[in-house]
Amino acid sequence: MGQDDEDTAFSEKIINEIDAVFMRDPELIAFEIIPMPLNQNKSPVIHVEHNLGLQSWCIDCVYSYAHRLILLYRNDWLSSSAPPVGCWSVTWNVADKGKLSGGASGLGPGSNTSNGGNVPIIKYLNFAILINPDVATFWNLRRQLFAKNRLDIAKEFHFSTLVLSKKPKSNEAFAYRRWLYLFQSSDAIDWAFEISLCEKSADKSNTNYHAWCHRQWVLMKAPNLLKYEVHKTEKFIRKHIHDYSCYNHRQFVLAKMFELCYYDEEDDGSEQIGEPVGNGSECSRGRKYNALCALIETLTGGAAPSPTDDATVNNLLRYLLPAITKEHELNPLRVRTFLYCLNQAAYDLRLCSQLATLHSVSQALENHRKFMVKFLIDRLRVGSGWLLNTSAAIYANPGGCQQPLSKVTRLDEDACEFLQALKAHELRRAHGDPRHAQWCKMFLGIGTDQ
């Protein structure tokens, strides 16, 4: 037996062992390549407690072998009108035909019941993708097999999860999952699992752009999960201070909540104010939107309205938007969304300040702070018109007390004490910092000459 025949037999043996693990253990949770430069004279496939490992010394040989067979299979498929299961073109040699058409050393009908049925190429695809998941040709071949009803969708989801355990930044794996979801009903999809998968992938690899993009795609499909993202992203940020990908995702969540008028009904930003009363068993009543009120007090140096119920919340709203009066009919949903999002932005400004104090200076923190400042200023500028109940016929009663829409929506910035204080605060930071001054001029529309 020549060297090539020995390499072929060895590669086939390793791929069959991995395929046997897939059949024997449908609950695999992780795959990893184990650094081992030298042959240990034993099987390089390690399977322990639902974890699959492969020693590195055999990878080059086995991967080259699997890669060659996959390309031959693909070329033969392209030259025919149907998947080549038992009938092969003349480009295949006898040995290759035997391996992929169900011969003794290949994958015949019934020999792989885990996934793929009697599709012989699947075990080679499994191995090649586990080793190198960034090859689009491999994933496209899986798509073609799935389209021919040769693969099980649940096991395909499981396989892509296994791939992400090895390479959490695999864009092809995330793209494949999104493609698979086209064949499932939205009611049958566990979107919470997708969020947790993205979170695990991002936790394993910093600045995981593909995981965060997939997470945003999930939120657009299931916006009811937005309210949980506020708490999850804060926890992630406190763990990964310099990972701006999470900050960017948090900004996406806040902007999307404002756009969809979606907020957490159980979270009105209440925090206990004052000291415990008596024996400490009772506390003074919580102040709603406390982060926003605290920011107002810090910037203006005066007392901000302290909303504790729905009636006093209107006082805070009219303080923020002087153009709004009692006579204006507002959209209640938008009012709650407006105050919730502004309170969340104020909370993030406080969070950035706390983290900057505890940790070293971070550009990610500064960029996030700038986004929240811009978010506050932009929303205060357009808040009056956005809050109006546009479904009402505002011009239905010209003789009434309602002002024309053009006057209501044009907020006089000079009348908003909080907005002026926020702009002045940013201008003070711009002194001695030309880059921040340029940012204020370009994105906030304010200059140092104001």
Side-chain angles (χ1 to χ4, degrees):
M1 180 180 292
Q3 183 63 38
D4 291 342
D5 293 335
E6 291 182 1
D7 291 344
T8 297
F10 171 75
S11 299
E12 191 70 28
K13 176 178 179 295
I14 299 304
I15 292 176
N16 285 333
E17 285 187 24
I18 293 177
D19 187 57
V21 172
F22 274 98
M23 290 187 289
R24 188 169 61 249
D25 187 359
E27 299 181 359
L28 285 173
I29 58 176
F31 169 76
E32 191 58 67
I33 295 176
I34 303 172
M36 192 71 69
L38 299 178
N39 187 348
Q40 302 298 309
N41 199 26
K42 61 181 180 180
S43 174
V45 180
I46 301 174
H47 177 219
V48 179
E49 296 180 353
H50 305 299
N51 293 277
L52 175 62
L54 182 66
Q55 295 179 355
S56 59
W57 61 268
C58 69
I59 288 178
D60 289 344
C61 174
V62 184
Y63 178 78
S64 298
Y65 171 77
H67 184 273
R68 178 175 63 87
L69 289 184
I70 291 171
L71 293 185
L72 287 174
Y73 181 91
R74 174 179 174 272
N75 293 337
D76 195 77
W77 191 344
L78 293 176
S79 64
S80 62
S81 58
V85 175
C87 181
W88 306 94
S89 66
V90 295
T91 58
W92 289 81
N93 58 45
V94 176
D96 292 335
K97 285 185 182 182
K99 295 180 182 66
L100 294 176
S101 61
S105 62
L107 186 61
S111 63
N112 183 5
T113 59
S114 63
N115 193 19
N118 61 349
V119 182
I121 197 63
I122 192 65
K123 65 178 180 180
Y124 303 100
L125 275 175
N126 288 345
F127 177 85
I129 291 176
L130 285 175
I131 300 302
N132 188 6
D134 293 330
V135 181
T137 299
F138 299 159
W139 292 102
N140 289 336
L141 192 53
R142 292 190 86 98
R143 288 184 175 93
Q144 294 168 355
L145 291 171
F146 180 83
K148 295 290 184 179
N149 295 322
R150 301 299 181 90
L151 300 177
D152 178 75
I153 189 170
K155 291 171 182 176
E156 286 301 283
F157 277 123
H158 177 258
F159 176 75
S160 61
T161 303
L162 191 64
V163 172
L164 289 170
S165 71
K166 168 62 176 65
K167 188 168 184 182
K169 282 188 176 181
S170 176
N171 181 48
E172 294 294 338
F174 284 117
Y176 187 63
R177 294 183 70 86
R178 292 193 292 270
W179 181 82
L180 287 175
Y181 278 128
L182 296 176
F183 302 91
Q184 276 200 325
S185 169
S186 297
D187 297 335
I189 299 175
D190 185 1
W191 294 116
F193 175 80
E194 285 298 302
I195 293 291
S196 65
L197 177 63
C198 294
E199 192 166 4
K200 290 178 182 177
S201 299
D203 192 48
K204 289 182 179 179
S205 179
N206 289 335
T207 61
N208 194 337
Y209 173 82
H210 303 300
W212 291 108
C213 285
H214 185 73
R215 189 165 180 168
Q216 292 178 9
W217 174 84
V218 171
L219 292 176
M220 288 188 287
K221 295 293 183 180
N224 60 300
L225 298 177
L226 280 169
K227 62 180 182 181
Y228 304 109
E229 290 296 281
V230 174
H231 304 288
K232 289 184 177 181
T233 51
E234 180 182 351
K235 181 179 179 181
F236 191 93
I237 284 174
R238 291 184 180 275
K239 184 178 180 182
H240 304 273
I241 300 297
H242 303 290
D243 189 348
Y244 188 70
S245 296
C246 185
Y247 294 96
N248 179 264
H249 178 75
R250 189 172 175 87
Q251 296 161 15
F252 167 85
V253 169
L254 185 59
K256 184 60 66 174
M257 294 180 80
F258 191 87
E259 175 187 342
L260 300 178
C261 291
Y262 192 92
Y263 62 92
D264 187 355
E265 298 179 357
E266 300 176 356
D267 182 11
D268 58 6
S270 297
E271 297 181 22
Q272 295 298 331
I273 56 176
E275 298 296 331
V277 180
N279 58 4
S281 59
E282 297 181 358
C283 294
S284 58
R285 197 170 189 179
R287 178 171 66 174
K288 293 185 176 182
Y289 310 112
N290 184 68
L292 179 59
C293 294
L295 180 62
I296 293 173
E297 293 170 348
T298 300
L299 294 181
T300 63
S306 299
T308 56
D309 52 32
D310 292 339
T312 52
V313 163
N314 293 329
N315 296 332
L316 174 61
L317 182 64
R318 287 192 291 270
Y319 174 84
L320 294 171
L321 303 174
I324 295 293
T325 64
K326 294 181 179 180
E327 290 77 15
H328 294 134
E329 183 179 356
L330 304 178
N331 187 319
L333 175 61
R334 291 192 173 189
V335 169
R336 292 290 302 273
T337 302
F338 181 80
L339 292 176
Y340 175 83
C341 290
L342 260 63
N343 183 75
Q344 192 58 53
Y347 178 85
D348 276 31
L349 289 178
R350 185 173 66 185
L351 175 66
C352 290
S353 177
Q354 293 173 351
L355 294 178
T357 303
L358 293 173
H359 304 276
S360 59
V361 178
S362 170
Q363 188 63 41
L365 280 173
E366 178 60 20
N367 289 341
H368 187 62
R369 192 198 70 83
K370 288 180 178 179
F371 177 90
M372 291 305 162
V373 169
K374 186 177 186 301
F375 182 88
L376 284 169
I377 292 178
D378 289 345
R379 297 312 180 272
L380 288 170
R381 283 171 172 169
V382 303
S384 299
W386 187 79
L387 287 173
L388 288 173
N389 189 347
T390 54
S391 62
I394 196 168
Y395 296 106
N397 184 13
C401 59
Q402 294 219 15
Q403 301 179 32
L405 182 62
S406 59
K407 293 183 179 180
V408 173
T409 57
R410 190 166 57 243
L411 170 63
D412 183 3
E413 294 188 14
D414 295 335
C416 180
E417 183 180 2
F418 173 56
L419 179 56
Q420 289 302 312
L422 186 58
K423 291 163 61 176
H425 177 72
E426 290 304 306
L427 290 177
R428 285 194 296 271
R429 293 176 65 97
H431 288 299
D433 187 349
R435 294 183 62 183
H436 189 71
Q438 184 180 14
W439 177 83
C440 290
K441 184 176 182 179
M442 291 181 61
F443 294 99
L444 303 183
I446 57 178
T448 54
D449 54 340
Q450 296 184 5

